[in-house]
């Protein structure tokens, strides 16, 4: 990070001295459509919006989060497709029920995404922050709404500084109401992943919400409003722990939006020279400040990488648009690495140790997830052998073992679990009943297995307990158990 700008905001002591010498009313630039903008002077950042490739990219990726709002209404086999049913300790994801015993799959999914975050940061900086992070996306939407009500940044700053009046209230109140509405829509959608969404709606209109739902929706709704509407970039700069640890994930080959100092400096605005006066030798940066004006965190990227920079690329769009107007090559600010500026060749991605380590762990967790999902049965069987006594000697000379059978229905349809036992020919068994189990529930019964004592060749005899769903005979689960008897005579 630049020493000039540790706060993430522009260090005004430096550019001010540069700006003082500038001709801020330069007509040449204004004639070709280049605006000369004042630098950000602290307080809330009111970023200017300009079209460009990265702006488009941001909107496209932001639209992914619409899934948050429609996700709870998706149905699968007549049930909510994604439901984290905490009271029953079951996660339903498109027909797949993950129970506490399968929670390792969720842990692997989390590991995969954590490593994806680390690998993407090592390759191209804070891609998550710049494009995917819900805080960045929500703030972007909130400021877009603000612009619709209050206008361009200069108008917004004036309005902010103006004393309270009816006119000001007329603009501010609807904006804040819409922000609150989005905040509560967000928190409602979040809660709808934990309880049935339609049921949540019907209980809302019947005023039957419980304390947990009410407080969660209220707290999250207000937090969304407060973070995305009021705190905005301060969350990225001051609170977000990821911003603090990202430095550890960067290396000299990480590509991030970077200002080409060699090409841009000495920066300065074009001036008309008087006859005989020598034009100053300037770099390509015309010091228009557009790159700073569009930055959602108020960073001046010309002072180097700073942790306020969320690598959104909007300053690249801004500078490219200026370069186009002044007929200079684009890319004065571009995605580049320190190594590139040091004249080094970037090694292939698979040759970078950091990326290799992250990718290997990601591959491992992806393989575990695939294996876990492929081998996951819609039925889980547990056979608990009676311990006291381990076996019973019957009056007819048979030895009997007892099991408590527990069958978990991890599917979405009711199950009729029939238990059969395979083992030596002389084996006999009886089970209390066929167990009827509702989706996500556990059913149990008692299994008795008998064998004539004289047929026993060892203390332990392996047997196989098979559980078949009579409603869907393709669902079969086998359980290897041990029949225990006395020492053979
Ligand atoms: S400096 Fe550029 S890339 Fe960084 S946050 Fe600001 S606009 Fe985005
Ligand atoms: S880097 Fe580009 S956008 Fe920023 S001040 Fe210089 S010319 Fe303007």
């Amino acid at each position: 990070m630049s020493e000039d700008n540790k706060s993430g905001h522009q260090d005004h002591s430096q550019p001010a001295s540069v700006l003082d010498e500038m001709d801020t009313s330069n007509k040449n630039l204004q004639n070709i459509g280049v605006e000369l903008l004042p630098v950000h002077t602290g307080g809330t950042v009111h970023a200017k919006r300009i079209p460009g490739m990265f702006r488009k990219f941001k909107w496209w990726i932001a639209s992914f989060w619409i899934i948050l709002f429609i996700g709870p209404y998706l149905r699968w086999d007549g049930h909510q497709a994604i439901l984290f049913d905490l009271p029953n300790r079951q996660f339903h994801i498109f027909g797949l029920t993950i129970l506490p015993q399968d929670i390792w799959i969720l842990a692997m999914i989390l590991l995969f995404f954590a490593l994806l975050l680390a690998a993407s940061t090592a390759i191209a900086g804070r891609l998550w922050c710049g494009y995917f992070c819900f805080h960045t996306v929500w703030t972007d939407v909130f400021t877009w709404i603000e612009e619709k009500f209050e206008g361009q940044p200069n108008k917004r700053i004036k309005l902010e500084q103006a004393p309270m009046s009816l006119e000001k209230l007329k603009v501010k109140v609807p904006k804040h109401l819409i922000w609150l509405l989005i905040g509560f829509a967000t928190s409602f959608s979040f809660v709808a992943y934990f309880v049935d969404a339609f049921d949540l709606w019907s209980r809302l209109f019947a005023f039957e919400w419980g304390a947990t739902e009410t407080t969660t929706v209220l707290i999250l709704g207000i937090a969304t409003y407060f973070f995305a509407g009021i705190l905005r970039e301060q969350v990225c700069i001051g609170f977000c722990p990821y911003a603090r640890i990202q430095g550890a994930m960067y290396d000299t080959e990480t590509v991030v939006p970077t200002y080409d100092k060699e090409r841009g400096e000495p920066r300065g605005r074009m001036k008309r020279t008087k006859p005989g006066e020598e034009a100053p030798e300037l770099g390509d940066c015309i010091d228009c400040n557009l790159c700073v004006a569009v930055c959602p965190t108020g960073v001046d990227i010309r002072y180097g990488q700073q942790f306020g920079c969320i690598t959104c690329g909007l300053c690249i769009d801004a500078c490219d648009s200026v370069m186009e107007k002044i007929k200079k090559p684009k890319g004065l600010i571009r995605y580049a690495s320190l190594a590139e500026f040091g004249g080094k060749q970037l090694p292939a991605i698979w040759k970078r140790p950091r990326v290799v380590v992250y990718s290997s762990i990601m591959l491992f967790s992806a393989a575990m997830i695939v294996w876990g999902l492929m081998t996951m049965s819609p039925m889980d069987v547990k056979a608990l052998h009676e311990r006291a006594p381990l076996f019973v000697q019957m009056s007819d000379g048979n030895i009997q073992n007892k099991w408590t059978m527990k069958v978990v229905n991890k599917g979405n349809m009711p199950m009729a679990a029939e238990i059969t036992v395979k083992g030596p020919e002389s084996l006999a068994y009886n089970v209390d009943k066929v167990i009827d189990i509702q989706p996500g529930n556990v059913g149990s019964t008692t299994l008795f297995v008998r064998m004539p004592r004289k047929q026993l060749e060892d203390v332990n005899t392996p047997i196989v307990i098979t559980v078949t769903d009579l409603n869907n005979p393709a669902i079969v689960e086998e359980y290897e158990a041990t029949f225990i008897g006395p020492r053979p005579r």
Side-chain angles (χ1 to χ4, degrees), residues 2-5 10-21 261 267 287 300 302-303:
S2 154
E3 281 305 306
D4 302 326
N5 198 341
Q10 185 166 351
D11 177 349
H12 303 295
S13 60
Q14 269 216 10
S17 59
V18 180
L19 284 171
D20 287 347
E21 297 164 17
K261 219 169 183 170
R267 75 185 81 152
D287 209 17
D300 187 342
R302 294 171 299 171
Y303 291 94

Side-chain angles (χ1 to χ4, degrees), residues 259 284-291 302 319 322-323 332-333:
Y259 168 69
D284 281 355
C285 174
I286 57 168
D287 209 17
C288 62
N289 288 320
L290 191 59
C291 52
R302 294 171 299 171
C319 192
V322 174
M323 291 299 119
L332 177 57
I333 302 176

Side-chain angles (χ1 to χ4, degrees), residues 257 291 294-297 299 301 308-315:
C291 52
V294 297
C295 178
T297 54
V299 163
I301 196 69
C309 174
I310 55 171
T311 70
C312 63
L314 296 180
C315 53

Side-chain angles (χ1 to χ4, degrees), residues 121-122 247-255 337-338 352-355:
T121 307
M249 299 178 201
Y250 277 26
D251 55 30
T252 50
E253 278 115 23
T254 303
V255 289
S337 67
L338 278 180
R352 290 168 60 184
R354 199 179 281 259
V355 178

